[in-house]
Amino acid sequence: YRDGGSGSEVVVHCVPYLLNVNELVFPFRLSMSEFLRQWNRFSNAFQFKVVIKQSVSPDEISSLFSRYYHQALEWKYHRLHFQMGFVGVTRKDEHILFTVSGAPDNNEQYSMMRIEVRSSSMNLL
């Protein structure tokens, strides 16, 4: 990925945790209206952007996250614009909500995916 401002290349390497963090969070059922109500309540948040190939479909992204989280929100416009919301809960009854939004990038081979995570506890983030 090339940084648009400076033109320098940024390379990110992911190192796996010794413990799979997803195994500590369980799906938690919320309706779409409950999800939106909780979303506005939680002020503990962070967000990040991910560049993905346009060949990755929203359905593939949804199935990846749905293995660990309940999908409470889904909106798709064509194949490249989408927004999804997921909910999980920890053993300590701390809730974690996140949205995944995607749109085409200026580069025709890639899409920009934005993930925002909100939680009932700052310690969870």
Side-chain angles (χ1 to χ4, degrees):
Y1 175 71
R2 292 207 175 272
D3 182 5
S6 65
S8 62
E9 189 169 312
V10 177
V11 178
V12 177
H13 297 280
C14 297
V15 178
Y17 284 100
L18 295 176
L19 176 65
N20 186 352
V21 177
N22 290 323
E23 292 176 4
L24 301 176
V25 178
F26 305 97
F28 186 77
R29 282 204 172 278
L30 286 181
S31 69
M32 187 171 73
S33 60
E34 291 170 325
F35 176 89
L36 295 172
R37 194 171 326 133
Q38 290 284 66
W39 183 262
N40 291 324
R41 262 189 52 215
F42 297 156
S43 59
N44 302 311
F46 73 92
Q47 62 181 322
F48 56 96
K49 293 181 181 179
V50 179
V51 176
I52 59 171
K53 290 185 177 183
Q54 284 189 1
S55 61
V56 177
S57 74
D59 292 332
E60 290 175 289
I61 295 167
S62 174
S63 66
L64 172 72
F65 287 116
S66 293
R67 292 189 340 205
Y68 303 105
Y69 303 95
H70 170 70
Q71 185 169 352
L73 172 70
E74 181 177 48
W75 174 82
K76 294 179 189 171
Y77 179 72
H78 293 289
R79 191 179 170 286
L80 301 175
H81 293 83
F82 62 89
Q83 183 171 18
M84 297 174 248
F86 297 91
V87 184
V89 65
T90 67
R91 292 176 191 212
K92 294 182 177 182
D93 200 34
E94 298 171 315
H95 291 80
I96 184 167
L97 286 74
F98 64 95
T99 59
V100 180
S101 306
D105 194 20
N106 292 336
N107 183 330
E108 59 192 42
Q109 296 178 0
Y110 297 98
S111 290
M112 184 65 72
M113 191 168 71
R114 181 179 166 271
I115 300 174
E116 183 173 350
V117 181
R118 293 192 181 188
S119 170
S120 59
S121 167
M122 187 61 173
N123 294 333
L124 186 58
L125 299 178

Short mmCIF file of all heavy atoms in Angstrom, two decimals, residues 10-68:
data_model
loop_
_atom_site.label_atom_id
_atom_site.label_comp_id
_atom_site.label_asym_id
_atom_site.label_seq_id
_atom_site.Cartn_x
_atom_site.Cartn_y
_atom_site.Cartn_z
N VAL A 10 4.16 1.47 2.82
CA VAL A 10 3.97 1.00 4.18
C VAL A 10 3.71 -0.49 4.12
O VAL A 10 2.84 -0.95 3.40
CB VAL A 10 2.77 1.71 4.85
CG1 VAL A 10 2.54 1.17 6.24
CG2 VAL A 10 2.98 3.21 4.87
N VAL A 11 4.49 -1.28 4.86
CA VAL A 11 4.33 -2.73 4.90
C VAL A 11 3.97 -3.11 6.33
O VAL A 11 4.64 -2.72 7.28
CB VAL A 11 5.62 -3.44 4.46
CG1 VAL A 11 5.45 -4.95 4.55
CG2 VAL A 11 6.02 -3.02 3.06
N VAL A 12 2.89 -3.87 6.46
CA VAL A 12 2.44 -4.31 7.78
C VAL A 12 2.53 -5.82 7.85
O VAL A 12 2.07 -6.52 6.95
CB VAL A 12 0.98 -3.86 8.03
CG1 VAL A 12 0.49 -4.36 9.36
CG2 VAL A 12 0.85 -2.36 7.92
N HIS A 13 3.16 -6.32 8.90
CA HIS A 13 3.24 -7.76 9.14
C HIS A 13 2.46 -8.07 10.40
O HIS A 13 2.65 -7.44 11.44
CB HIS A 13 4.70 -8.20 9.33
CG HIS A 13 5.54 -7.98 8.12
ND1 HIS A 13 5.52 -8.84 7.05
CD2 HIS A 13 6.39 -6.99 7.79
CE1 HIS A 13 6.35 -8.39 6.12
NE2 HIS A 13 6.89 -7.26 6.55
N CYS A 14 1.60 -9.05 10.32
CA CYS A 14 0.79 -9.45 11.47
C CYS A 14 1.45 -10.64 12.16
O CYS A 14 1.81 -11.61 11.51
CB CYS A 14 -0.63 -9.82 11.05
SG CYS A 14 -1.51 -8.43 10.32
N VAL A 15 1.60 -10.55 13.47
CA VAL A 15 2.16 -11.63 14.26
C VAL A 15 1.03 -12.22 15.09
O VAL A 15 0.32 -11.49 15.78
CB VAL A 15 3.29 -11.11 15.18
CG1 VAL A 15 3.85 -12.22 16.04
CG2 VAL A 15 4.37 -10.44 14.36
N PRO A 16 0.81 -13.52 15.02
CA PRO A 16 -0.32 -14.11 15.77
C PRO A 16 -0.11 -14.04 17.28
O PRO A 16 1.01 -14.13 17.78
CB PRO A 16 -0.36 -15.55 15.29
CG PRO A 16 0.98 -15.81 14.70
CD PRO A 16 1.54 -14.50 14.26
N TYR A 17 -1.22 -13.84 17.99
CA TYR A 17 -1.19 -13.89 19.45
C TYR A 17 -0.98 -15.34 19.88
O TYR A 17 -1.33 -16.27 19.17
CB TYR A 17 -2.53 -13.43 20.04
CG TYR A 17 -2.75 -11.95 20.01
CD1 TYR A 17 -3.54 -11.36 19.02
CD2 TYR A 17 -2.19 -11.13 20.98
CE1 TYR A 17 -3.77 -10.00 19.00
CE2 TYR A 17 -2.41 -9.76 20.97
CZ TYR A 17 -3.20 -9.21 19.98
OH TYR A 17 -3.41 -7.87 19.96
N LEU A 18 -0.42 -15.54 21.08
CA LEU A 18 -0.31 -16.89 21.62
C LEU A 18 -1.69 -17.45 21.93
O LEU A 18 -1.92 -18.65 21.89
CB LEU A 18 0.55 -16.88 22.88
CG LEU A 18 2.01 -16.48 22.66
CD1 LEU A 18 2.74 -16.41 24.00
CD2 LEU A 18 2.70 -17.46 21.73
N LEU A 19 -2.63 -16.57 22.22
CA LEU A 19 -4.00 -16.94 22.54
C LEU A 19 -4.90 -16.31 21.50
O LEU A 19 -4.78 -15.13 21.19
CB LEU A 19 -4.35 -16.40 23.94
CG LEU A 19 -5.76 -16.59 24.44
CD1 LEU A 19 -6.05 -18.08 24.63
CD2 LEU A 19 -5.93 -15.87 25.76
N ASN A 20 -5.82 -17.08 20.94
CA ASN A 20 -6.75 -16.54 19.95
C ASN A 20 -7.76 -15.66 20.66
O ASN A 20 -8.62 -16.14 21.40
CB ASN A 20 -7.45 -17.69 19.21
CG ASN A 20 -8.30 -17.20 18.07
OD1 ASN A 20 -8.52 -16.00 17.90
ND2 ASN A 20 -8.79 -18.13 17.28
N VAL A 21 -7.68 -14.35 20.44
CA VAL A 21 -8.53 -13.38 21.12
C VAL A 21 -10.00 -13.64 20.82
O VAL A 21 -10.87 -13.46 21.66
CB VAL A 21 -8.13 -11.94 20.72
CG1 VAL A 21 -9.04 -10.93 21.36
CG2 VAL A 21 -6.69 -11.68 21.10
N ASN A 22 -10.30 -14.11 19.60
CA ASN A 22 -11.69 -14.36 19.23
C ASN A 22 -12.34 -15.44 20.08
O ASN A 22 -13.56 -15.50 20.19
CB ASN A 22 -11.79 -14.75 17.75
CG ASN A 22 -11.49 -13.57 16.86
OD1 ASN A 22 -11.85 -12.45 17.18
ND2 ASN A 22 -10.81 -13.81 15.77
N GLU A 23 -11.56 -16.32 20.69
CA GLU A 23 -12.13 -17.37 21.53
C GLU A 23 -12.59 -16.83 22.88
O GLU A 23 -13.25 -17.53 23.63
CB GLU A 23 -11.12 -18.50 21.72
CG GLU A 23 -10.86 -19.25 20.43
CD GLU A 23 -9.80 -20.32 20.57
OE1 GLU A 23 -9.31 -20.54 21.68
OE2 GLU A 23 -9.47 -20.92 19.54
N LEU A 24 -12.26 -15.60 23.19
CA LEU A 24 -12.68 -14.98 24.45
C LEU A 24 -13.97 -14.19 24.29
O LEU A 24 -14.51 -13.68 25.26
CB LEU A 24 -11.57 -14.07 24.98
CG LEU A 24 -10.24 -14.74 25.25
CD1 LEU A 24 -9.21 -13.71 25.67
CD2 LEU A 24 -10.38 -15.82 26.30
N VAL A 25 -14.44 -14.04 23.06
CA VAL A 25 -15.66 -13.28 22.77
C VAL A 25 -16.67 -14.24 22.16
O VAL A 25 -16.33 -15.06 21.31
CB VAL A 25 -15.35 -12.12 21.80
CG1 VAL A 25 -16.61 -11.35 21.46
CG2 VAL A 25 -14.31 -11.20 22.39
N PHE A 26 -17.92 -14.10 22.59
CA PHE A 26 -18.98 -14.98 22.12
C PHE A 26 -20.06 -14.17 21.42
O PHE A 26 -20.29 -13.01 21.78
CB PHE A 26 -19.60 -15.73 23.31
CG PHE A 26 -18.58 -16.48 24.10
CD1 PHE A 26 -18.05 -15.93 25.26
CD2 PHE A 26 -18.13 -17.71 23.68
CE1 PHE A 26 -17.09 -16.61 25.99
CE2 PHE A 26 -17.17 -18.41 24.41
CZ PHE A 26 -16.64 -17.85 25.56
N PRO A 27 -20.73 -14.75 20.42
CA PRO A 27 -21.81 -14.03 19.75
C PRO A 27 -22.89 -13.63 20.74
O PRO A 27 -23.19 -14.35 21.69
CB PRO A 27 -22.36 -15.04 18.75
CG PRO A 27 -21.28 -16.04 18.56
CD PRO A 27 -20.54 -16.09 19.86
N PHE A 28 -23.47 -12.46 20.55
CA PHE A 28 -24.53 -11.94 21.42
C PHE A 28 -25.61 -11.36 20.52
O PHE A 28 -25.34 -10.44 19.76
CB PHE A 28 -23.97 -10.87 22.36
CG PHE A 28 -24.94 -10.38 23.38
CD1 PHE A 28 -25.24 -11.14 24.49
CD2 PHE A 28 -25.57 -9.16 23.22
CE1 PHE A 28 -26.14 -10.69 25.43
CE2 PHE A 28 -26.47 -8.70 24.15
CZ PHE A 28 -26.76 -9.47 25.27
N ARG A 29 -26.80 -11.91 20.60
CA ARG A 29 -27.89 -11.49 19.70
C ARG A 29 -28.46 -10.14 20.08
O ARG A 29 -28.85 -9.92 21.22
CB ARG A 29 -29.02 -12.50 19.73
CG ARG A 29 -28.73 -13.71 18.93
CD ARG A 29 -30.05 -14.36 18.51
NE ARG A 29 -29.82 -15.43 17.58
CZ ARG A 29 -29.64 -15.27 16.28
NH1 ARG A 29 -29.67 -14.08 15.75
NH2 ARG A 29 -29.43 -16.29 15.51
N LEU A 30 -28.48 -9.24 19.09
CA LEU A 30 -29.15 -7.95 19.22
C LEU A 30 -29.90 -7.70 17.92
O LEU A 30 -29.41 -8.06 16.84
CB LEU A 30 -28.15 -6.81 19.42
CG LEU A 30 -27.45 -6.64 20.75
CD1 LEU A 30 -26.53 -5.43 20.70
CD2 LEU A 30 -28.43 -6.48 21.88
N SER A 31 -31.06 -7.07 18.02
CA SER A 31 -31.75 -6.64 16.80
C SER A 31 -31.02 -5.41 16.27
O SER A 31 -30.18 -4.82 16.94
CB SER A 31 -33.21 -6.31 17.11
OG SER A 31 -33.27 -5.14 17.91
N MET A 32 -31.38 -4.99 15.05
CA MET A 32 -30.74 -3.83 14.47
C MET A 32 -31.00 -2.58 15.32
O MET A 32 -30.09 -1.79 15.56
CB MET A 32 -31.23 -3.60 13.04
CG MET A 32 -30.48 -2.50 12.34
SD MET A 32 -30.85 -2.34 10.59
CE MET A 32 -32.47 -1.64 10.65
N SER A 33 -32.22 -2.40 15.82
CA SER A 33 -32.52 -1.22 16.63
C SER A 33 -31.77 -1.26 17.96
O SER A 33 -31.28 -0.23 18.43
CB SER A 33 -34.02 -1.07 16.86
OG SER A 33 -34.53 -2.19 17.53
N GLU A 34 -31.64 -2.44 18.56
CA GLU A 34 -30.86 -2.57 19.80
C GLU A 34 -29.38 -2.28 19.54
O GLU A 34 -28.71 -1.66 20.36
CB GLU A 34 -31.03 -3.97 20.39
CG GLU A 34 -32.40 -4.26 20.92
CD GLU A 34 -32.59 -5.72 21.28
OE1 GLU A 34 -32.02 -6.59 20.58
OE2 GLU A 34 -33.30 -5.99 22.25
N PHE A 35 -28.89 -2.76 18.41
CA PHE A 35 -27.49 -2.51 18.04
C PHE A 35 -27.23 -1.01 17.94
O PHE A 35 -26.27 -0.50 18.50
CB PHE A 35 -27.17 -3.19 16.71
CG PHE A 35 -25.78 -2.92 16.21
CD1 PHE A 35 -24.73 -3.73 16.58
CD2 PHE A 35 -25.51 -1.85 15.36
CE1 PHE A 35 -23.43 -3.49 16.12
CE2 PHE A 35 -24.23 -1.59 14.89
CZ PHE A 35 -23.19 -2.42 15.28
N LEU A 36 -28.11 -0.30 17.23
CA LEU A 36 -27.92 1.14 17.04
C LEU A 36 -28.04 1.90 18.36
O LEU A 36 -27.31 2.87 18.59
CB LEU A 36 -28.92 1.67 16.02
CG LEU A 36 -28.72 1.12 14.60
CD1 LEU A 36 -29.87 1.54 13.70
CD2 LEU A 36 -27.39 1.54 14.03
N ARG A 37 -28.92 1.47 19.23
CA ARG A 37 -29.06 2.10 20.55
C ARG A 37 -27.78 1.89 21.38
O ARG A 37 -27.26 2.83 21.98
CB ARG A 37 -30.27 1.51 21.28
CG ARG A 37 -30.68 2.32 22.49
CD ARG A 37 -32.00 1.84 23.08
NE ARG A 37 -32.88 1.37 22.02
CZ ARG A 37 -33.56 0.21 22.07
NH1 ARG A 37 -33.51 -0.55 23.09
NH2 ARG A 37 -34.32 -0.16 21.07
N GLN A 38 -27.27 0.66 21.40
CA GLN A 38 -26.04 0.37 22.15
C GLN A 38 -24.85 1.12 21.53
O GLN A 38 -23.99 1.62 22.23
CB GLN A 38 -25.75 -1.14 22.13
CG GLN A 38 -26.71 -1.96 22.95
CD GLN A 38 -26.44 -1.84 24.42
OE1 GLN A 38 -26.61 -0.77 25.00
NE2 GLN A 38 -26.03 -2.92 25.03
N TRP A 39 -24.81 1.16 20.20
CA TRP A 39 -23.71 1.82 19.49
C TRP A 39 -23.56 3.26 19.96
O TRP A 39 -22.46 3.75 20.22
CB TRP A 39 -23.98 1.77 17.99
CG TRP A 39 -22.88 2.36 17.17
CD1 TRP A 39 -22.84 3.62 16.65
CD2 TRP A 39 -21.66 1.73 16.79
NE1 TRP A 39 -21.67 3.80 15.94
CE2 TRP A 39 -20.93 2.65 16.01
CE3 TRP A 39 -21.12 0.46 17.02
CZ2 TRP A 39 -19.69 2.35 15.48
CZ3 TRP A 39 -19.89 0.17 16.47
CH2 TRP A 39 -19.18 1.11 15.73
N ASN A 40 -24.66 3.97 20.08
CA ASN A 40 -24.63 5.37 20.51
C ASN A 40 -24.30 5.51 21.99
O ASN A 40 -23.81 6.56 22.41
CB ASN A 40 -25.96 6.05 20.20
CG ASN A 40 -26.16 6.21 18.71
OD1 ASN A 40 -25.21 6.46 17.98
ND2 ASN A 40 -27.38 6.04 18.26
N ARG A 41 -24.53 4.49 22.77
CA ARG A 41 -24.22 4.53 24.21
C ARG A 41 -22.73 4.38 24.50
O ARG A 41 -22.22 4.92 25.46
CB ARG A 41 -24.96 3.40 24.93
CG ARG A 41 -26.22 3.81 25.58
CD ARG A 41 -26.81 2.73 26.46
NE ARG A 41 -25.85 2.21 27.41
CZ ARG A 41 -25.81 0.92 27.80
NH1 ARG A 41 -26.64 0.05 27.31
NH2 ARG A 41 -24.93 0.54 28.67
N PHE A 42 -22.05 3.59 23.70
CA PHE A 42 -20.65 3.26 23.98
C PHE A 42 -19.73 4.32 23.39
O PHE A 42 -19.64 4.49 22.18
CB PHE A 42 -20.27 1.90 23.41
CG PHE A 42 -21.03 0.75 24.02
CD1 PHE A 42 -21.18 -0.42 23.32
CD2 PHE A 42 -21.58 0.83 25.27
CE1 PHE A 42 -21.86 -1.49 23.87
CE2 PHE A 42 -22.27 -0.22 25.83
CZ PHE A 42 -22.41 -1.39 25.12
N SER A 43 -19.00 5.02 24.26
CA SER A 43 -18.08 6.05 23.78
C SER A 43 -16.64 5.55 23.69
O SER A 43 -15.79 6.21 23.10
CB SER A 43 -18.15 7.28 24.70
OG SER A 43 -17.81 6.91 26.01
N ASN A 44 -16.35 4.39 24.28
CA ASN A 44 -15.01 3.81 24.18
C ASN A 44 -14.86 3.23 22.78
O ASN A 44 -15.52 2.26 22.43
CB ASN A 44 -14.81 2.70 25.21
CG ASN A 44 -15.04 3.21 26.62
OD1 ASN A 44 -14.50 4.22 27.00
ND2 ASN A 44 -15.85 2.51 27.38
N ALA A 45 -13.98 3.82 21.97
CA ALA A 45 -13.92 3.41 20.56
C ALA A 45 -12.54 3.60 19.97
O ALA A 45 -11.74 4.39 20.46
CB ALA A 45 -14.93 4.21 19.75
N PHE A 46 -12.28 2.83 18.91
CA PHE A 46 -11.12 3.08 18.05
C PHE A 46 -11.50 2.61 16.65
O PHE A 46 -12.46 1.86 16.46
CB PHE A 46 -9.85 2.40 18.56
CG PHE A 46 -9.82 0.91 18.38
CD1 PHE A 46 -9.24 0.35 17.25
CD2 PHE A 46 -10.32 0.06 19.35
CE1 PHE A 46 -9.21 -1.02 17.09
CE2 PHE A 46 -10.28 -1.31 19.20
CZ PHE A 46 -9.71 -1.85 18.06
N GLN A 47 -10.77 3.08 15.67
CA GLN A 47 -11.06 2.70 14.29
C GLN A 47 -9.76 2.55 13.52
O GLN A 47 -8.73 3.11 13.88
CB GLN A 47 -11.96 3.73 13.62
CG GLN A 47 -11.38 5.11 13.52
CD GLN A 47 -12.34 6.08 12.87
OE1 GLN A 47 -13.04 5.72 11.94
NE2 GLN A 47 -12.37 7.30 13.36
N PHE A 48 -9.84 1.76 12.46
CA PHE A 48 -8.69 1.60 11.58
C PHE A 48 -9.19 1.27 10.17
O PHE A 48 -10.35 0.90 9.98
CB PHE A 48 -7.72 0.53 12.09
CG PHE A 48 -8.34 -0.82 12.32
CD1 PHE A 48 -8.27 -1.81 11.35
CD2 PHE A 48 -8.98 -1.11 13.52
CE1 PHE A 48 -8.83 -3.05 11.56
CE2 PHE A 48 -9.54 -2.35 13.74
CZ PHE A 48 -9.46 -3.33 12.75
N LYS A 49 -8.30 1.45 9.20
CA LYS A 49 -8.64 1.18 7.81
C LYS A 49 -7.77 0.05 7.29
O LYS A 49 -6.62 -0.08 7.67
CB LYS A 49 -8.44 2.43 6.97
CG LYS A 49 -9.41 3.53 7.31
CD LYS A 49 -9.21 4.75 6.45
CE LYS A 49 -10.20 5.83 6.86
NZ LYS A 49 -10.02 7.04 6.08
N VAL A 50 -8.37 -0.73 6.42
CA VAL A 50 -7.69 -1.87 5.82
C VAL A 50 -7.91 -1.80 4.31
O VAL A 50 -9.01 -1.52 3.85
CB VAL A 50 -8.26 -3.20 6.36
CG1 VAL A 50 -7.59 -4.39 5.73
CG2 VAL A 50 -8.17 -3.26 7.88
N VAL A 51 -6.87 -2.07 3.55
CA VAL A 51 -6.99 -2.14 2.10
C VAL A 51 -7.15 -3.61 1.72
O VAL A 51 -6.36 -4.45 2.15
CB VAL A 51 -5.74 -1.54 1.41
CG1 VAL A 51 -5.83 -1.69 -0.09
CG2 VAL A 51 -5.58 -0.08 1.80
N ILE A 52 -8.20 -3.90 0.94
CA ILE A 52 -8.45 -5.28 0.51
C ILE A 52 -8.58 -5.31 -1.01
O ILE A 52 -8.87 -4.30 -1.64
CB ILE A 52 -9.73 -5.85 1.15
CG1 ILE A 52 -10.96 -5.01 0.78
CG2 ILE A 52 -9.59 -5.98 2.64
CD1 ILE A 52 -12.27 -5.62 1.19
N LYS A 53 -8.35 -6.47 -1.59
CA LYS A 53 -8.55 -6.63 -3.03
C LYS A 53 -10.04 -6.59 -3.33
O LYS A 53 -10.85 -7.09 -2.56
CB LYS A 53 -7.96 -7.95 -3.50
CG LYS A 53 -6.46 -7.98 -3.46
CD LYS A 53 -5.93 -9.25 -4.06
CE LYS A 53 -4.42 -9.22 -4.07
NZ LYS A 53 -3.85 -10.42 -4.71
N GLN A 54 -10.41 -6.00 -4.45
CA GLN A 54 -11.82 -5.91 -4.82
C GLN A 54 -12.42 -7.27 -5.11
O GLN A 54 -13.63 -7.43 -5.13
CB GLN A 54 -12.01 -4.97 -6.01
CG GLN A 54 -11.92 -3.52 -5.61
CD GLN A 54 -12.33 -2.59 -6.74
OE1 GLN A 54 -12.71 -3.02 -7.82
NE2 GLN A 54 -12.25 -1.30 -6.48
N SER A 55 -11.58 -8.28 -5.31
CA SER A 55 -12.10 -9.62 -5.55
C SER A 55 -12.71 -10.25 -4.29
O SER A 55 -13.44 -11.22 -4.37
CB SER A 55 -10.99 -10.52 -6.10
OG SER A 55 -9.94 -10.62 -5.17
N VAL A 56 -12.42 -9.67 -3.12
CA VAL A 56 -13.01 -10.16 -1.87
C VAL A 56 -14.42 -9.59 -1.76
O VAL A 56 -14.62 -8.38 -1.77
CB VAL A 56 -12.17 -9.72 -0.65
CG1 VAL A 56 -12.81 -10.17 0.64
CG2 VAL A 56 -10.76 -10.26 -0.76
N SER A 57 -15.41 -10.47 -1.65
CA SER A 57 -16.80 -10.02 -1.64
C SER A 57 -17.26 -9.69 -0.22
O SER A 57 -16.71 -10.21 0.76
CB SER A 57 -17.70 -11.10 -2.23
OG SER A 57 -17.86 -12.15 -1.32
N PRO A 58 -18.29 -8.85 -0.09
CA PRO A 58 -18.86 -8.57 1.23
C PRO A 58 -19.36 -9.85 1.91
O PRO A 58 -19.29 -9.96 3.13
CB PRO A 58 -20.03 -7.62 0.92
CG PRO A 58 -19.63 -6.94 -0.34
CD PRO A 58 -18.88 -7.99 -1.12
N ASP A 59 -19.83 -10.81 1.15
CA ASP A 59 -20.29 -12.08 1.74
C ASP A 59 -19.14 -12.83 2.39
O ASP A 59 -19.31 -13.45 3.45
CB ASP A 59 -20.96 -12.95 0.68
CG ASP A 59 -22.28 -12.36 0.20
OD1 ASP A 59 -22.93 -11.64 1.00
OD2 ASP A 59 -22.64 -12.61 -0.96
N GLU A 60 -17.96 -12.80 1.78
CA GLU A 60 -16.79 -13.45 2.37
C GLU A 60 -16.38 -12.76 3.67
O GLU A 60 -16.03 -13.42 4.65
CB GLU A 60 -15.61 -13.43 1.39
CG GLU A 60 -15.80 -14.33 0.19
CD GLU A 60 -14.67 -14.19 -0.80
OE1 GLU A 60 -14.60 -13.14 -1.47
OE2 GLU A 60 -13.87 -15.14 -0.91
N ILE A 61 -16.44 -11.45 3.69
CA ILE A 61 -16.11 -10.69 4.90
C ILE A 61 -17.12 -11.00 6.00
O ILE A 61 -16.76 -11.25 7.14
CB ILE A 61 -16.05 -9.18 4.59
CG1 ILE A 61 -14.92 -8.89 3.62
CG2 ILE A 61 -15.91 -8.36 5.87
CD1 ILE A 61 -14.95 -7.53 3.01
N SER A 62 -18.39 -11.02 5.63
CA SER A 62 -19.45 -11.32 6.58
C SER A 62 -19.28 -12.71 7.18
O SER A 62 -19.40 -12.90 8.39
CB SER A 62 -20.81 -11.21 5.89
OG SER A 62 -21.83 -11.63 6.74
N SER A 63 -18.99 -13.70 6.35
CA SER A 63 -18.85 -15.06 6.87
C SER A 63 -17.62 -15.19 7.77
O SER A 63 -17.64 -15.95 8.74
CB SER A 63 -18.78 -16.08 5.73
OG SER A 63 -17.62 -15.91 4.97
N LEU A 64 -16.58 -14.43 7.51
CA LEU A 64 -15.39 -14.45 8.36
C LEU A 64 -15.72 -13.95 9.77
O LEU A 64 -15.42 -14.61 10.76
CB LEU A 64 -14.29 -13.59 7.74
CG LEU A 64 -13.05 -13.36 8.60
CD1 LEU A 64 -12.24 -14.65 8.67
CD2 LEU A 64 -12.21 -12.24 8.03
N PHE A 65 -16.37 -12.79 9.87
CA PHE A 65 -16.70 -12.22 11.17
C PHE A 65 -17.83 -12.97 11.86
O PHE A 65 -17.88 -13.04 13.08
CB PHE A 65 -17.05 -10.74 11.04
CG PHE A 65 -15.87 -9.86 10.77
CD1 PHE A 65 -15.76 -9.16 9.59
CD2 PHE A 65 -14.85 -9.73 11.70
CE1 PHE A 65 -14.67 -8.34 9.33
CE2 PHE A 65 -13.75 -8.93 11.46
CZ PHE A 65 -13.66 -8.23 10.27
N SER A 66 -18.76 -13.55 11.09
CA SER A 66 -19.91 -14.24 11.67
C SER A 66 -19.52 -15.52 12.39
O SER A 66 -20.32 -16.07 13.15
CB SER A 66 -20.95 -14.55 10.60
OG SER A 66 -21.50 -13.36 10.10
N ARG A 67 -18.32 -15.99 12.17
CA ARG A 67 -17.86 -17.19 12.91
C ARG A 67 -17.74 -16.90 14.40
O ARG A 67 -17.88 -17.79 15.22
CB ARG A 67 -16.52 -17.67 12.37
CG ARG A 67 -16.63 -18.22 10.98
CD ARG A 67 -15.38 -18.88 10.47
NE ARG A 67 -14.14 -18.55 11.14
CZ ARG A 67 -12.97 -18.64 10.59
NH1 ARG A 67 -12.86 -19.01 9.33
NH2 ARG A 67 -11.88 -18.35 11.25
N TYR A 68 -17.46 -15.65 14.75
CA TYR A 68 -17.22 -15.30 16.15
C TYR A 68 -18.23 -14.30 16.72
O TYR A 68 -18.35 -14.18 17.93
CB TYR A 68 -15.82 -14.69 16.30
CG TYR A 68 -14.74 -15.60 15.80
CD1 TYR A 68 -14.10 -15.36 14.60
CD2 TYR A 68 -14.36 -16.72 16.53
CE1 TYR A 68 -13.10 -16.20 14.13
CE2 TYR A 68 -13.37 -17.56 16.09
CZ TYR A 68 -12.74 -17.30 14.88
OH TYR A 68 -11.76 -18.14 14.43
#
